[in-house]
Amino acid sequence: MAVRKSACCGFSALEVTLGVLFILMTMACVALITVMFTWKSDAAPDPTSGPTLPPQNQTYLIGVGRADCTGPPAEIPLMGYANPQQKAAGIHTRLYSRAFIIDDGGRRLVFVTADVGMISQRLRLEVLQALHLKFGDVYRQENVVLSGTHTHCGLGGFFQYTLLMISSSGYIRESIKPLVDGIVRSVDIAHRNLKPGRIFRNTGNIDDSSVNRSPHSYMRNPQDERHRYTERRGAFLLNLFFFS
């Protein structure tokens, strides 16, 4: 029987090598974490200051578009019920994708809000692929923002995450195709409607219109955090953007 050679203090050469590598990796991780936290603390903006906004008299190219993204009316699991048996059984109202394109002459951005529970990575990748086929590099990963209205009346089956796939009977092509088509169509309408315009922003408080779902949890925030906001029941800050 072969006897393992000891390198140092009864440890084999392999064990010593692995130990050295572990120490080096630990030191590298600590250094990276230190740099990350130092960089964040140096670059963190003042939380009391608002975002830097362009002057309201600046002219942009602005386009808006809306397209239907409803999908099949029945026998498809709905999003967010965590029950594969909770399926659509008809259409009460149509679902839409709304696209807003803003171009300041140097950069272009498209923001899409669609009537879905949320945007999945799979849906985003398919939308980007379809936009590339239609527009080339005009709309790409860097300037396309996709958002969902968080409706639970929309279809499921367009995720790649295991838990959501289990609860919505897996990946359903009949769900994702109308979403991709509707989003791309809304962007196409906005693209064809581009015209000079301006953006206006208004800010105000709306009272008695909402309630904190967990006041007990909110009160566990530090006092200085809670004092940053006006403590009025049901009040929240509203930012409105107007296009003209």
Side-chain angles (χ1 to χ4, degrees):
M1 181 182 294
V3 180
R4 270 193 315 186
K5 296 181 180 179
S6 296
C8 179
C9 302
F11 294 103
S12 67
L14 177 61
E15 290 171 335
V16 172
T17 303
L18 291 176
V20 172
L21 289 175
F22 176 77
I23 293 173
L24 292 175
M25 290 178 63
T26 303
M27 294 173 62
C29 290
V30 171
L32 288 173
I33 293 173
T34 303
V35 171
M36 181 180 66
F37 276 99
T38 303
W39 176 80
K40 282 190 174 181
S41 61
D42 292 341
D46 182 2
T48 60
S49 63
T52 302
L53 297 173
Q56 294 200 10
N57 59 356
Q58 179 174 342
T59 301
Y60 301 87
L61 277 179
I62 298 174
V64 296
R66 188 185 78 159
D68 192 291
C69 63
T70 304
E75 299 303 319
I76 299 290
L78 296 175
M79 160 55 201
Y81 287 89
N83 181 3
Q85 304 305 315
Q86 185 79 40
K87 297 183 178 181
I91 296 176
H92 180 61
T93 58
R94 308 294 299 186
L95 303 178
Y96 293 94
S97 169
R98 298 166 180 86
F100 305 85
I101 299 175
I102 303 172
D103 190 324
D104 65 0
R107 293 177 299 175
R108 177 172 296 190
L109 170 74
V110 55
F111 174 80
V112 176
T113 174
D115 289 329
V116 292
M118 62 188 74
I119 302 298
S120 71
Q121 180 77 357
R122 177 65 181 265
L123 176 60
R124 175 173 171 79
L125 290 175
E126 294 208 17
V127 167
L128 289 173
Q129 182 181 26
L131 289 174
H132 179 73
L133 291 175
K134 192 174 188 66
F135 299 101
D137 292 331
V138 177
Y139 304 108
R140 54 199 183 279
Q141 181 174 342
E142 294 81 7
N143 66 350
V144 174
V145 181
L146 302 181
S147 172
T149 58
H150 200 94
T151 177
H152 287 269
C153 298
L155 303 177
F158 57 93
F159 293 88
Q160 77 283 359
Y161 313 119
T162 302
L163 181 60
L164 292 172
M165 289 186 69
I166 292 174
S167 62
S168 59
S169 301
Y171 175 80
I172 304 174
R173 187 63 191 170
E174 291 79 3
S175 288
I176 197 168
K177 188 178 187 305
L179 289 175
V180 173
D181 292 344
I183 291 173
V184 173
R185 191 157 52 245
S186 68
V187 174
D188 182 45
I189 295 172
H191 180 83
R192 290 187 280 111
N193 287 336
L194 280 170
K195 59 188 64 175
R198 293 182 296 170
I199 303 173
F200 300 89
R201 175 176 178 262
N202 196 6
T203 301
N205 290 312
I206 297 181
D207 299 326
D208 300 320
S209 56
S210 66
V211 62
N212 194 314
R213 291 187 293 178
S214 181
H216 175 75
S217 299
Y218 177 76
M219 294 303 294
R220 295 179 66 87
N221 286 316
Q223 189 175 25
D224 57 346
E225 167 69 17
R226 289 185 276 115
H227 284 175
R228 291 178 59 194
Y229 309 99
T230 304
E231 295 183 1
R232 290 179 291 179
R233 177 176 175 79
F236 67 92
L237 180 66
L238 179 68
N239 289 303
L240 294 177
F241 290 87
F242 302 93
F243 301 90
S244 68

